[in-house]
Amino acid sequence: MRQRTATFSIIMLLCGVVSTALAQSADVVAINGKVFTAREGAELAQGFAVKGEKFIAVGSTEAMRTHGGAGTTVIDLAGRFVTPGLADGHFHNEGGGSGIDLSATRSIADVLAAVKTAASEAKPGDLIVSNSDWHEAQLGEQRLPVAAELDGVSAANPVVLVRGGHDYILNSAALRHWKIDKDTPVPDGGAITRDINGELTGELVDNAKRLVTLPPPKAVTVADVLTTQRKINAFGITSVRIPGSYKGEFFQALEAILAARREGALSLRYNIYLPGSGVRDPARIREIIGKSPLKQDEGDEWVRIGGIKLLVDGGFEGGHMSEPFAGEYGKGGTYYGLTVIPAKEYTAVVKTINDLGWRATTHAVGDAAIDQVLDAYEAANSEHPITGKRWAIEHLFVSRPAQFARMKKLDLALSVQDHLYLAAPALKNYLGAARAGQITPVKSYLDAGFLVVGGTDSPVVPFNPFYAYYHFLTRDTITDGVYGANEAVTSREDLLRMVTINYAKLTGEVDIKGSIEPGKLADFAVLSEDLLTVAAAKIPTMRAMLTFVGGREVFRDEAMK
Ligand SMILES: [Zn+2]
């Protein structure tokens, strides 16, 4: 017996090299590429090897070939560019929700024509609603339609146009239906817009939207979840961070995502923040946490809970600024935007989140809103430190350099998007050219050494990540040229880090993803162009050729077939 064991051991020793190679034989070997690994100190490679869900090697084509075996799929990249799987740091959904779709409209006449069609198909009294995937910056007139115009195409049926996340536009029938008139008190943290004659325009902003009750959204199904991931995997995206709202009712939608996870059907990784926008009462935070099937950082590499998303100010038309809005929007220098949650209540909510050991991220568009966030975060930090716990701020359109030191001291991550690309002319109207030109100063945030994470805020802005990359690198906008070239990101590697490794640092998953290196999840995308060298003008039309998530192919472009 002893003899046999010894002989066997010698054979094993002799075969050791071979058997190790067999055991390590990769499922996929990619060669002859230009691979941006996002690895510190070793950013470029020619290829990598994948076994199961993970990368097992990265390096030269020659070295990667040694990982091949009988069952290995070899991907000859033929010089193509590869990035770690792309992430969207602020993604709600891909858009295209129910209701009239106004995303293709380019004039007020187009909007009215779409409403007219819907009105002609509606029964008397039916409510006509749009989805939110449009912005007046896409319209030639560069303004919102008004109630009187909507009345011209739908006098009897109430109409509510939902624009982005902060605005409704109603026709007169809808204003009557919800009993909104010139005597209606303006809700705190909201606005009911009037024209120069004092007449209601039909626009309701932020908290004033609560005067209207829209029908509940339909239940989100597993099929809906799979549709979303299919659409965005096609752009090389493998991870999204969902800031407090997705589609439909939040917890029902979360359940659908978790059901897709249980079915093993996910091809997109989620970091999900619970919905705390609008919350003024700390008791409500406890309720929200109590309702969640998973606590903070619980879950797995597919679905994890990231924290709680809060909000203090409005959006394009309601960011809370320290300087008044411009022109007619400034209402004679008196309009500074909206405080959606008063400072005292917001601070109490933040402290409660911290007391409970959770983290917050807060929507803050204007610099006065950022002050409000920093005051509250500092108050919480003085009770129990929030540093090192990945707290963050979303958007930061307008900030003052003097705020950077406070943000740094709290160790905050900054989550930025390309709203300016879409909405530049509107933002110029609201804030004036000088301020609009410096909106979302990504270069300054990077230069100051913040952990900066990129995203889109889809469906407020289209989810196509290449639009965002183009904008961040050029500051060009869809309809109004370059805004503030000084804030263009100069390092394309920095840009890629914003949507790969920085994202993984923000979600606390840097040990398992965010770069192409052995031991990490094999999430990667082969792109149509070399993002490090391609002419900037070509970036908006770039696409993914091949997307892998966890070692599994989830998208392949026709040209790669
Ligand atoms: Zn958002």
Side-chain angles (χ1 to χ4, degrees):
M1 191 67 195
R2 187 178 294 167
Q3 185 61 40
R4 270 180 67 193
T5 308
T7 311
F8 185 70
S9 299
I10 290 163
I11 293 168
M12 284 308 287
L13 269 174
L14 290 171
C15 299
V17 180
V18 177
S19 62
T20 307
L22 279 176
Q24 291 286 310
S25 167
D27 296 327
V28 176
V29 164
I31 54 170
N32 296 324
K34 179 175 175 185
V35 180
F36 175 78
T37 66
R39 265 174 120 184
E40 204 81 44
E43 286 198 325
L44 292 178
Q46 292 176 314
F48 49 83
V50 174
K51 188 167 180 66
E53 289 188 320
K54 293 178 179 171
F55 294 112
I56 54 167
V58 54
S60 66
T61 292
E62 207 181 320
M64 293 309 104
R65 281 192 198 281
T66 66
H67 293 277
T72 303
T73 302
V74 177
I75 302 173
D76 186 344
L77 294 164
R80 287 195 192 281
F81 182 78
V82 183
T83 170
L86 301 171
D88 190 325
H90 191 116
F91 174 88
H92 296 283
N93 59 68
E94 76 280 22
S98 61
I100 320 172
D101 187 351
L102 300 174
S103 61
T105 59
R106 292 293 175 266
S107 65
I108 297 279
D110 289 350
V111 172
L112 297 177
V115 175
K116 189 175 183 177
T117 304
S120 71
E121 292 161 1
K123 290 193 280 293
D126 275 0
L127 172 66
I128 296 167
V129 186
S130 77
N131 73 34
S132 63
D133 311 346
W134 65 286
H135 189 275
E136 64 275 19
Q138 76 195 41
L139 308 178
E141 293 86 350
Q142 300 288 325
R143 65 166 176 85
L144 293 169
V146 295
E149 291 169 318
L150 295 170
D151 295 346
V153 289
S154 179
N157 289 88
V159 175
V160 179
L161 302 185
V162 180
R163 197 277 265 135
H166 298 267
D167 241 38
Y168 290 164
I169 302 98
L170 279 64
N171 70 346
S172 296
L175 289 168
R176 280 196 302 276
H177 179 82
W178 280 288
K179 303 185 172 58
I180 301 164
D181 59 30
K182 287 195 272 188
D183 299 326
T184 303
V186 179
D188 171 31
I192 301 175
T193 309
R194 293 170 181 240
D195 65 19
I196 43 169
N197 302 315
E199 300 299 323
L200 301 190
T201 64
E203 185 189 22
L204 306 179
V205 185
D206 285 304
N207 287 347
K209 283 165 49 187
R210 296 193 191 154
L211 297 170
V212 168
T213 311
L214 296 181
K218 66 176 180 43
V220 177
T221 63
V222 169
D224 295 330
V225 173
L226 305 190
T227 299
T228 300
Q229 68 182 23
R230 199 163 48 240
K231 286 182 184 165
I232 75 166
N233 284 157
F235 286 84
I237 295 176
T238 59
S239 293
V240 292
R241 180 167 166 269
I242 297 190
S245 78
Y246 174 60
K247 315 175 175 184
E249 196 279 318
F250 179 85
F251 286 104
Q252 190 274 321
L254 174 57
E255 200 35 65
I257 293 173
L258 290 169
R261 164 70 188 107
R262 287 192 294 271
E263 290 174 20
L266 290 183
S267 63
L268 183 65
R269 306 184 191 280
Y270 296 84
N271 193 259
I272 301 176
Y273 283 63
L274 302 185
S277 293
V279 173
R280 294 175 176 220
D281 178 2
R284 178 83 189 109
I285 288 295
R286 293 173 195 272
E287 269 173 47
I288 291 167
I289 288 174
K291 234 175 142 179
S292 179
L294 295 169
K295 302 306 171 222
Q296 177 171 284
D297 298 331
E298 283 183 2
D300 59 14
E301 71 278 18
W302 290 104
V303 185
R304 214 184 289 279
I305 298 297
I308 301 180
K309 157 81 184 308
L310 303 174
L311 168 147
V312 292
D313 67 344
F316 300 122
E317 57 294 308
H320 185 203
M321 306 288 163
S322 62
E323 299 288 328
F325 276 49
E328 58 170 305
Y329 297 97
K331 296 172 188 158
T334 63
Y335 182 65
Y336 291 81
L338 299 171
T339 300
V340 177
I341 306 294
K344 192 163 161 262
E345 282 90 338
Y346 170 71
T347 301
V349 164
V350 166
K351 282 184 172 183
T352 300
I353 290 171
N354 193 35
D355 283 346
L356 295 171
W358 282 62
R359 73 176 64 84
T361 192
T362 306
H363 163 121
V365 162
D367 64 324
I370 293 172
D371 281 334
Q372 184 180 341
V373 173
L374 294 176
D375 289 347
Y377 283 12
E378 282 168 355
N381 187 59
S382 68
E383 294 179 354
H384 329 284
I386 66 167
T387 52
K389 296 181 181 168
R390 298 184 274 110
W391 284 51
I393 304 181
E394 306 297 311
H395 311 315
L396 308 106
F397 283 16
V398 177
S399 57
R400 303 186 308 275
Q403 292 172 320
F404 289 14
R406 294 178 69 192
M407 297 195 282
K408 268 286 185 56
K409 218 166 165 189
L410 293 168
D411 194 22
L412 301 181
L414 311 186
S415 166
V416 298
Q417 306 81 30
D418 59 327
H419 301 85
L420 185 63
Y421 181 58
L422 169 80
L427 287 161
K428 188 161 71 181
N429 287 340
Y430 290 132
L431 300 174
R435 212 171 357 173
Q438 300 299 302
I439 278 180
T440 318
V442 179
K443 173 84 163 54
S444 293
Y445 294 153
L446 287 168
D447 288 350
F450 287 108
L451 181 71
V452 181
V453 175
T456 64
D457 203 4
S458 175
V460 177
V461 177
F463 69 83
N464 184 334
F466 299 106
Y467 293 172
Y469 305 164
Y470 171 71
H471 171 74
F472 289 143
L473 290 171
T474 63
R475 301 281 295 182
D476 197 9
T477 65
I478 294 177
T479 59
D480 207 27
V482 172
Y483 274 47
N486 60 305
E487 288 298 346
V489 174
T490 44
S491 157
R492 292 192 180 190
E493 289 85 350
D494 278 351
L495 172 77
L496 277 168
R497 278 189 282 265
M498 282 167 53
V499 291
T500 55
I501 193 82
N502 291 8
Y503 174 94
K505 287 178 181 169
L506 173 56
T507 62
E509 295 172 300
V510 74
D511 292 338
I512 61 165
K513 68 180 190 184
S515 57
I516 296 178
E517 52 188 310
K520 287 201 181 182
L521 291 164
D523 299 353
F524 65 90
V526 180
L527 303 184
S528 59
E529 316 283 343
D530 178 350
L531 192 52
L532 294 179
T533 59
V534 67
K538 281 192 174 171
I539 296 174
T541 54
M542 279 180 65
R543 61 192 201 278
M545 308 303 290
L546 191 61
T547 308
F548 269 63
V549 181
R552 188 163 57 88
E553 180 181 318
V554 297
F555 170 76
R556 183 179 285 259
D557 186 86
E558 283 299 319
M560 286 288 281
K561 283 176 184 161

